[in-house]
Amino acid sequence: MLEQQPMARGETVQTLDRGLHVLELLAKEPEGLLSQEVAGRLALHRTVAYRLLNTLLEHRLVQRMDDGRYRLGMGLISLARSVQPQLQSVAVPELTRLAEELGATAHLTVADGSEAVVLTTIEPSRTHMHVVYRTGFRHPLDQAASGIAILAGREAQSGERSQVTRARQKGYAVSRSEIQQGASGIAAPIHVAGRPAEASIGIIVLGDIDEDTVFPHIITAARAISLQLH
C-alpha cells in the first residue's frame, strides 16, 4: 500500500485555490457576476469557471440569481458564525483595555451583508456617564465609524462616500451624530491574512472625540487582533 506523501510547504491544491479566488471575487461584487465574467476576471476557461461555480453552488457557498448572476451564498454565514467566537475571544482583552484607558464604550462590529452588527461591547468601569451600545444593534454599513472603517478596509468602489476614502487614507474612521445625536465614534478595520475587512474595533462617546489622542489606541488594538487571527 502506497503511503501518501505530505504536501510540501508552499504547495497548493489548484482547484481549491481557484474556488477560493472565485469567492474572493464575488465578495467584491455584491450585485453578482455571470459565469463568463468570473472566467474573464480570473483568466479561467469558461468551462472551468462554470464547474467551480456549480460546485460552490452545491455547498450553498454561492447562489445563482434569476438573471444568471452568481452571488455569495447563505452557506458562508454558517462558516462565519464558527469564526466569530474566536474573533470575540481575541478581541475582548483589547476592548477591555480601550474601555479602561479611554473611559469610553468599546465595541467589536462585523459586517453582515450591507449592514454592520455590533458583536461585542465593553463599558468602562470608572466613569460616571458613558454610552450604552447594545450587542446585536444593526445599522447600514456605510454609516457610523464602525461600518465606515470596515468599508475602508476593502478595495475602493465607485460611488463610495468620501468619508470612506478619507478613512482608508488615515487607517481609521471618525463619525459624529450619525447613529445617535451627540455621540461620536472612531474605529479601525481588522484585517485577517491581508483579506478585505469584515470587522472593526472602536469606541463611542458622548460629545466630541480627541481624534489625535485616541486614534493610536484604536490602530494598536486593531493590529493586535489581526496578528492573533493570522
Side-chain angles (χ1 to χ4, degrees):
M1 181 175 176
L2 294 174
E3 292 186 3
Q4 186 175 4
Q5 295 298 314
M7 184 178 292
R9 186 175 181 180
E11 188 177 349
T12 62
V13 178
Q14 187 182 55
T15 303
L16 176 58
D17 184 64
R18 286 174 170 173
L20 293 174
H21 280 300
V22 170
L23 293 176
E24 290 173 348
L25 175 63
L26 293 179
K28 301 172 185 175
E29 300 289 343
E31 299 302 317
L33 293 172
L34 297 170
S35 60
Q36 57 264 36
E37 292 175 320
V38 172
R41 298 278 189 91
L42 298 179
L44 298 172
H45 191 280
R46 287 190 179 187
T47 302
V48 173
Y50 182 74
R51 287 174 178 170
L52 287 170
L53 288 164
N54 269 354
T55 302
L56 295 170
L57 186 65
E58 288 182 7
H59 291 276
R60 299 176 59 245
L61 299 179
V62 303
Q63 57 180 318
R64 190 174 187 273
M65 312 306 290
D66 291 338
D67 61 1
R69 291 179 177 273
Y70 291 86
R71 298 171 56 184
L72 294 181
M74 299 299 290
L76 287 169
I77 294 178
S78 298
L79 295 176
R81 283 184 183 138
S82 66
V83 175
Q84 287 184 359
Q86 181 188 8
L87 174 60
Q88 286 177 291
S89 65
V90 169
V92 164
E94 295 300 322
L95 291 169
T96 302
R97 182 181 61 78
L98 288 177
E100 297 304 328
E101 287 182 357
L102 302 175
T105 300
H107 56 84
L108 174 68
T109 301
V110 296
D112 183 12
S114 62
E115 293 184 315
V117 185
V118 180
L119 191 61
T120 307
T121 64
I122 299 291
E123 297 176 17
S125 62
R126 296 190 299 274
T127 57
H128 296 296
M129 186 180 298
H130 57 263
V131 176
V132 175
Y133 205 33
R134 216 173 298 172
T135 299
F137 177 72
R138 290 175 174 265
H139 60 80
L141 194 58
D142 63 351
Q143 288 184 11
S146 55
I148 293 167
I150 293 173
L151 292 176
R154 300 175 177 179
E155 289 188 8
Q157 299 290 324
S158 60
E160 68 181 16
R161 294 179 61 181
S162 58
Q163 202 171 358
V164 176
T165 303
R166 289 196 300 270
R168 186 177 294 113
Q169 293 169 346
K170 290 182 174 182
Y172 65 91
V174 179
S175 63
R176 296 175 177 85
S177 298
E178 287 212 20
I179 298 298
Q180 182 175 331
Q181 189 65 33
S184 300
I186 182 168
I190 296 172
H191 293 277
V192 180
R195 298 187 184 280
E198 293 295 332
S200 68
I201 185 171
I203 63 165
I204 184 169
V205 301
L206 291 171
D208 288 329
I209 285 179
D210 184 348
E211 186 177 332
D212 292 337
T213 299
V214 172
F215 90 82
H217 295 265
I218 306 299
I219 295 287
T220 298
R223 287 175 178 169
I225 295 171
S226 298
L227 286 173
Q228 292 183 70
L229 290 175
H230 269 66

